[in-house]
Amino acid sequence: MATREKPTLDPAVARAVIDPASYAAWDPLLDIFDRLREEMPVAWAESQDDHVHPPFWLVTRYDDVMRMSKDNATFLNNPHTVVFSLTEGIEFAKKMTGGSEHLVASLVTFDGATHMKYRKLTQEWFMPKNLRTVEEEIRGIAHAAVDRLLEGGNEADFVKAVSAPYPLHVVMQIMGVPEEDEPRMLMLTQQLFGGQDDDLNQSGIKDLPPEAITQLVAGAVADFEAYFAKLTAERRANPTADVASTIANAVIDGEPLNDRDMMGYYIILAAAGHDTTSASTAGAMLALARDPEQWARVKSDRSLLPGIVEEAIRWTTPVQHFMRTAAEDTEVGGQAIAKGDWLMMNYVAANHDPAHFENPRKFDAARSPNRHLAFGAGAHQCLGLHLARLEMRILFETLLDRIESVELAGEPARSKSTFVGGLKALPLRFTAA
Ligand code: HEM
């Protein structure tokens, strides 16, 4: 029998779990999740102070997050937004779109048969077999990143030199965006999704008055559309092997995709493909820089690398949550959930669940099995997971070949973000091989 009362979060905890700063501080948040998994694994979170948001269920146990992820008929990606947002953000999206809570319609905002049709268009492209055709190209990008790292002497910020630009460059190459247009794409993505961390919010969007933000976002959408309309026309005239050609020439129910849908596809790939892999890459480097013996071991035995990559993805959990909406009255972990309720699947909490991961805060490259939830599960499971692993493996092969030893040269810092988070600074000292 599911319980009907709502186990409600203490106000300070409810505030902490949606505070971007908690995700930067990290350990105190993990302490909160440890308590919640024990005492209130499915907890009702209500608005606190001036941080007004629709109430939601916070789900922290691995088994519950896994079950929800796989039950795509009961836990929908509609109509509520799939990324936690304050009410003002939701109202803003509705104003921009004429009623939808999703600022951009894309794979993550579709459900059921529509989602499958859109996903199938590029699914093949992201499978290991096809990715082998871009391996050498990625290796070239990895070498260029390591050149940049070594250029400035024996100290550098790994995030600035390598982990931030490298995955962005890979995803842009794959999409068919020429290198000279990358800064524009980065700026547009930031303008569209804002940015909760002051250091990373280079577009300065948060400091603007609301009307100016509306104009800026509308301008970014128009600019994106115009850019990709041109790229689409080029790829229809002269198709190549890149993702842009696949999308430009895709047909759903006998019709080519319209400009809006194509833009949504490009935006989700551009947005999903860089900050995420940057975070797990920087996390892997942090773990290795703190453990010189592990660096030396993997330098001589590359078979250890896949374990390091997988553990770095769990340990960092770059995508910290996704939201779902209950399609009907149901239950999660014995707690009654009403039709229409909004739920947060917290992947950070799930990936630190001791029921599945012994000593979960420890970076353990030998962890086996390591069935983490950092890529989600079910119908929406990360489309780019093979690409992310491949990018990390190739980059670390290159680093291990070209760098003899590495250590921390200062304090690493995490970004303030409730959604995609990770290191924003990782000062390193190293010697070239
Ligand atoms: C979806 C994580 C890298 C493209 C997702 C989801 C997560 C995630 C948690 C949602 C899963 C769910 O709802 O069950 C990550 C992590 C990455 C990463 C941790 C790096 C370590 C990438 C890359 C790409 C990519 C490199 C491609 C360029 C996508 C797309 C979706 C997605 C298109 C939506 C899939 C759908 O809704 O069907 N990712 N991702 N991701 N990811 Fe990734």
Side-chain angles (χ1 to χ4, degrees):
M1 237 337 249
T3 19
R4 303 233 147 251
E5 307 102 66
K6 286 194 171 128
T8 303
L9 286 180
D10 167 85
V13 174
R15 178 74 188 88
V17 297
I18 58 134
D19 185 354
S22 307
Y23 293 79
W26 199 242
D27 271 313
L29 183 68
L30 297 186
D31 294 342
I32 290 178
F33 290 148
D34 283 348
R35 256 197 330 275
L36 289 178
R37 273 191 309 269
E38 286 285 315
E39 294 165 11
M40 214 187 269
V42 181
W44 187 242
E46 290 175 339
S47 298
Q48 304 302 325
D49 317 321
D50 55 344
H51 294 83
V52 179
H53 60 78
F56 63 90
W57 292 103
L58 170 67
V59 183
T60 46
R61 280 189 184 158
Y62 177 98
D63 289 340
D64 293 336
V65 173
M66 180 63 97
R67 215 204 91 217
M68 284 178 65
S69 301
K70 288 188 167 171
D71 184 353
N72 301 98
T74 310
F75 300 101
L76 300 176
N77 290 30
N78 279 288
H80 296 309
T81 165
V82 285
V83 174
F84 172 79
S85 183
L86 295 178
T87 301
E88 60 177 359
I90 296 172
E91 290 308 319
F92 177 72
K94 282 179 158 171
K95 193 166 134 194
M96 295 294 304
T97 57
S100 168
E101 291 192 17
H102 310 300
L103 195 55
V104 176
S106 75
L107 276 188
V108 276
T109 69
F110 298 144
D111 283 309
T114 310
H115 169 251
M116 273 331 283
K117 280 184 198 169
Y118 278 83
R119 187 168 162 120
K120 277 208 179 116
L121 296 180
T122 55
Q123 192 152 269
E124 226 15 69
W125 205 98
F126 286 97
M127 293 311 261
K129 186 162 167 253
N130 185 61
L131 290 175
R132 279 202 279 281
T133 63
V134 289
E135 236 187 273
E136 280 320 299
E137 204 176 332
I138 296 178
R139 203 172 292 282
I141 300 173
H143 271 288
V146 180
D147 288 343
R148 246 186 340 264
L149 183 72
L150 299 176
E151 214 154 68
N154 65 345
E155 276 194 30
D157 177 1
F158 185 74
V159 174
K160 270 211 185 71
V162 179
S163 65
Y166 166 70
L168 177 71
H169 196 50
V170 171
V171 81
M172 290 292 152
Q173 283 285 110
I174 276 175
M175 282 169 57
V177 173
E179 198 170 343
E180 62 271 19
D181 295 336
E182 280 181 23
R184 181 170 167 209
M185 285 297 111
L186 187 60
M187 189 57 135
L188 286 176
T189 325
Q190 283 176 343
Q191 285 174 347
L192 261 188
F193 297 106
Q196 294 169 324
D197 192 287
D198 294 337
D199 290 348
L200 301 177
N201 177 33
Q202 287 149 357
S203 61
I205 190 166
K206 269 198 331 195
D207 310 325
L208 297 171
E211 266 320 299
I213 295 182
T214 311
Q215 276 180 12
L216 193 77
V217 172
V221 170
D223 204 359
F224 248 119
E225 258 175 346
Y227 184 87
F228 285 114
K230 193 167 147 273
L231 193 67
T232 301
E234 278 168 23
R235 294 301 192 274
R236 282 185 179 155
N238 297 304
T240 67
D242 60 19
V243 177
S245 298
T246 308
I247 297 173
N249 296 294
V251 174
I252 287 191
D253 299 335
E255 298 283 330
L257 269 63
N258 64 37
D259 286 355
R260 266 279 135 127
D261 285 346
M262 268 188 296
M263 186 189 66
Y265 224 120
Y266 290 121
I267 291 178
I268 179 78
L269 292 178
H274 68 93
D275 286 359
T276 49
T277 315
S278 300
S280 51
T281 302
M285 194 46 154
L286 171 62
L288 291 171
R290 276 182 181 157
D291 186 351
E293 275 172 32
Q294 180 143 272
W295 177 267
R297 262 199 315 276
V298 60
K299 219 171 145 47
S300 58
D301 180 2
R302 300 299 165 88
S303 71
L304 300 173
L305 201 45
I308 291 178
V309 165
E310 213 51 48
E311 176 66 344
I313 295 169
R314 180 200 70 88
W315 192 61
T316 51
T317 308
V319 175
Q320 297 168 156
H321 77 267
F322 260 114
M323 309 294 293
R324 294 289 190 261
T325 304
E328 58 201 44
D329 287 354
T330 183
E331 61 82 28
V332 174
Q335 174 60 51
I337 306 291
K339 178 178 176 173
D341 278 359
W342 202 30
L343 302 101
M344 175 186 277
M345 303 187 293
N346 197 295
Y347 299 125
V348 175
N351 278 345
H352 287 85
D353 186 338
H356 286 267
F357 305 100
E358 201 184 319
N359 201 355
R361 297 191 201 189
K362 182 174 175 229
F363 182 96
D364 177 3
R367 200 178 281 286
S368 176
N370 194 355
R371 291 193 202 97
H372 61 74
L373 271 162
F375 290 124
H380 288 276
Q381 190 181 39
C382 180
L383 183 70
L385 61 88
H386 301 297
L387 175 62
R389 288 176 178 140
L390 179 71
E391 279 181 60
M392 289 179 68
R393 177 173 62 71
I394 291 178
L395 178 70
F396 280 94
E397 280 169 2
T398 314
L399 285 163
L400 289 160
D401 282 345
R402 298 184 55 189
I403 290 179
E404 192 51 44
S405 64
V406 58
E407 61 180 5
L408 279 181
E411 273 304 300
R414 292 183 55 88
S415 61
K416 289 185 200 148
S417 169
T418 45
F419 182 42
V420 177
L423 292 173
K424 64 174 178 183
L426 179 58
L428 291 184
R429 189 174 306 116
F430 40 79
T431 44

